[in-house]
Amino acid sequence: MDLKEAIYTRRSVRDFTAEPVAEKAIRDLIEAAIRAPSAVNAQPCTFCVVRDKTVLGGISREAKAHMVKTTPVGLMSLRSIVG
């Protein structure tokens, strides 16, 4: 599978293997992401590769807590119905 096919046929995965992602794959994904258009070419995104599982777990917990805290109640209810 090439990169374009992977992006176009993507899906959500919430169960991961312990197999590390190849350095080339990470670099290719970042290269593709930085080429995405942005308003007035502002390129407001920053990318950071985190490999430490403890750090990843902390980021995940904090991000989920932030989403729960900041998502309007109506959208949270809709998500539970749809997802």
Side-chain angles (χ1 to χ4, degrees):
M1 173 184 309
D2 68 5
L3 182 60
K4 186 174 179 181
E5 181 183 357
I7 291 170
Y8 285 14
T9 60
R10 73 190 186 284
R11 57 189 169 78
S12 293
V13 175
R14 290 172 180 81
D15 186 30
F16 302 96
T17 68
E19 183 181 342
V21 178
E23 182 76 22
K24 181 170 180 358
I26 292 170
R27 291 185 180 277
D28 287 347
L29 287 167
I30 292 172
E31 181 67 27
I34 64 175
R35 294 183 182 276
S38 62
V40 258
N41 199 26
Q43 300 177 351
C45 297
T46 302
F47 301 93
C48 177
V49 177
V50 178
R51 297 174 190 259
D52 183 295
K53 291 183 182 196
T54 303
V55 174
L56 285 171
I59 292 169
S60 176
R61 282 188 302 280
E62 292 293 323
K64 288 172 186 171
H66 176 75
M67 284 182 60
V68 168
K69 187 170 136 183
T70 60
T71 301
V73 174
L75 289 179
M76 290 297 284
S77 299
L78 179 63
R79 188 182 77 185
S80 65
I81 294 168
V82 175

